[in-house]
Amino acid sequence: MESDISQFSASPLARQHTWTLAAYRYMLRKRLGRRSNIDLRSVAAKSWEIAPGELTVSPSAFYLPGQLERVTGWEGKRFYPYVHPGPTMQGGISLQQAPTRGYLIKDVWLVEGALYKGRASHWLSLKPSTFPTISVDHEVDRAAIYCTQNGNTWFGNWLTEDCPTYALACNEGVPVTTAPSARFPLYTQAPAYEDWLEMKPLRLRSAFLRELVLFEDQANNRNRSARYRAIGDKLLAHVAHAPHPGVFLLRGGDGDLRLLRNELALAEHLRASRGFRIVNPLKCDVPGIVAACAGARVVMGVEGSQLVHGVNVLQPGGCLLTLQPPNRFVSYYKYLTDRDGQHFGFVVGTPEGDGFTIDIGEVERTLDLFPRQSV
């Protein structure tokens, strides 16, 4: 039985110790086959619309003939409402973007990456610890959680999804996110970005939340776009910048393997032929990365989280060109560029060993497809 939560004081962050078996009760119900996947938002005391939804129509991507025929693997869940990337790249898709909503839930337990209230739960991490803590020594009167599974798993999603939601959280309570762990450590560049974005979250491993505000903030409506563009404006305010041809963001062997074997040769070619800047985010600090990306008309690199450094500050009318492994085609960034009035293009590579290569001539010809004023 859980302890009496009334032993907590009414202060926003009490240190009086208590304990909970909420996580273990969830695990037991799941093992016994009982219903244990009730969404936490369904037990909200109230919900409200923060920003309206809208109907959007997607533009076509820029790509050469024959590119999609090279694709041998893709993440189907990334191409909603279609499974294959072809229709998404061809554009002309009408999609009803959902409104942004808030949900108020009372008396919620946060235990190592998951939220619990009775039989309802909500997962902030892909998988909490096998042996969750039962000790709780924090209480928050009104917490507003802005982190997500995606943001706690991938750096790019943290910047494009969680950071814009932080602005909503500041209006609703104490902005709370999960504390880093051995499995999900704090991203190396997160503190510098948080400093420039004036983010001061409360990081908790476990807590009792007297009131919790959750957000439904995945739709690419205009409100979410405005909050993301505000992030770019804050970053640009820290650096001097002027328009320049483009930036090539190296990926190397970081993260999930997407090894472009001729990455350096391609980057050097673009520096010589078009005046691109080359940035290795693993060897450069955040101020240096933002300064190099600011003003770029084109952001380019292997599809992956490192591109977010450039997308953050890419202006409306700018271009993003992704270099796609044939066996792992992803178009996550197209949804962002469609939303924010930018152009998206891609080149698909050909397999070579445990990686792939990109034809330099195809990159040049794809760049020439973009509107002239954009490049």
Side-chain angles (χ1 to χ4, degrees):
M1 179 179 294
E2 295 176 5
S3 64
D4 182 2
I5 60 176
S6 64
Q7 67 181 276
F8 275 128
S9 75
S11 63
L13 279 177
R15 285 279 182 178
Q16 297 182 24
H17 180 83
T18 191
W19 56 277
T20 178
L21 294 176
Y24 287 92
R25 288 175 171 173
Y26 175 89
M27 293 164 62
L28 180 60
R29 287 195 297 269
K30 189 173 182 180
R31 176 164 292 188
L32 294 176
R34 298 174 181 172
R35 189 179 181 190
S36 57
N37 60 346
I38 302 173
D39 191 294
L40 189 62
R41 286 171 294 197
S42 69
V43 299
K46 71 172 184 175
S47 65
W48 62 98
E49 183 176 288
I50 297 171
E54 61 193 274
L55 182 68
T56 60
V57 180
S58 65
S60 172
F62 292 86
Y63 57 99
L64 298 171
Q67 293 293 306
L68 288 171
E69 286 73 13
R70 293 181 189 167
V71 177
T72 59
W74 58 88
E75 294 192 14
K77 62 184 178 180
R78 297 290 187 189
F79 297 101
Y80 179 84
Y82 299 95
V83 174
H84 190 274
T88 300
M89 296 300 106
Q90 292 163 11
I93 299 173
S94 295
L95 190 62
Q96 182 62 49
Q97 302 290 347
T100 301
R101 299 191 62 83
Y103 296 83
L104 176 66
I105 306 106
K106 297 184 178 181
D107 299 339
V108 179
W109 296 96
L110 167 64
V111 181
E112 295 184 358
L115 297 164
Y116 303 98
K117 177 181 173 66
R119 296 183 179 181
S121 62
H122 182 82
W123 302 79
L124 303 171
S125 296
L126 287 177
K127 186 179 179 182
S129 171
T130 304
F131 300 102
T133 183
I134 64 172
S135 175
V136 176
D137 59 4
H138 291 279
E139 177 191 11
V140 182
D141 282 345
R142 188 179 173 99
I145 289 189
Y146 66 93
C147 63
T148 61
Q149 280 191 16
N150 285 345
N152 277 332
T153 306
W154 295 291
F155 174 70
N157 294 81
W158 175 74
L159 261 170
T160 60
E161 297 178 18
D162 291 8
C163 290
T165 306
Y166 178 87
L168 300 179
C170 288
N171 295 330
E172 294 293 346
V174 178
V176 170
T177 185
T178 53
S181 64
R183 186 176 179 193
F184 297 106
L186 187 66
Y187 300 117
T188 303
Q189 293 159 332
Y193 270 113
E194 287 180 339
D195 181 48
W196 276 17
L197 297 176
E198 301 174 313
M199 294 174 61
K200 298 178 180 179
L202 177 62
R203 291 186 165 88
L204 295 176
R205 181 185 177 194
S206 61
F208 175 68
L209 313 174
R210 288 191 178 274
E211 291 188 337
L212 164 67
V213 178
L214 275 181
F215 302 98
E216 198 169 88
D217 190 31
Q218 297 304 305
N220 285 316
N221 56 45
R222 270 178 265 186
N223 181 271
R224 195 182 190 207
S225 176
R227 283 181 276 121
Y228 186 54
R229 295 269 50 90
I231 285 175
D233 291 343
K234 281 187 176 182
L235 296 176
L236 289 173
H238 288 273
V239 299
H241 56 281
H244 63 91
V247 60
F248 193 109
L249 289 154
L250 299 174
R251 180 171 179 83
D254 188 43
D256 296 334
L257 185 62
R258 275 160 268 177
L259 180 59
L260 176 55
R261 292 191 164 275
N262 62 334
E263 183 179 46
L264 288 176
L266 176 55
E268 290 294 345
H269 169 83
L270 291 168
R271 172 158 41 195
S273 67
R274 294 185 180 251
F276 271 46
R277 300 173 182 177
I278 302 174
V279 176
N280 185 342
L282 298 178
K283 297 181 179 179
C284 189
D285 60 15
V286 166
I289 295 170
V290 174
C293 293
R297 296 188 182 94
V298 179
V299 173
M300 187 188 304
V302 176
E303 195 289 326
S305 285
Q306 89 285 357
L307 292 177
V308 74
H309 297 292
V311 174
N312 284 338
V313 293
L314 185 64
Q315 296 301 292
C319 307
L320 174 64
L321 181 58
T322 62
L323 308 176
Q324 300 275 356
N327 63 340
R328 194 183 185 280
F329 192 103
V330 177
S331 72
Y332 175 80
Y333 287 109
K334 185 177 188 297
Y335 301 109
L336 302 186
T337 54
D338 288 356
R339 179 194 70 190
D340 295 340
Q342 299 145 349
H343 305 292
F344 179 86
F346 65 90
V347 176
V348 180
T350 55
E352 184 174 315
D354 60 350
F356 66 106
T357 60
I358 290 287
D359 185 277
I360 292 176
E362 291 184 350
V363 169
E364 290 278 14
R365 294 197 298 275
T366 305
L367 284 170
D368 290 338
L369 294 177
F370 284 122
R372 188 178 297 253
Q373 68 273 17
S374 299
V375 295

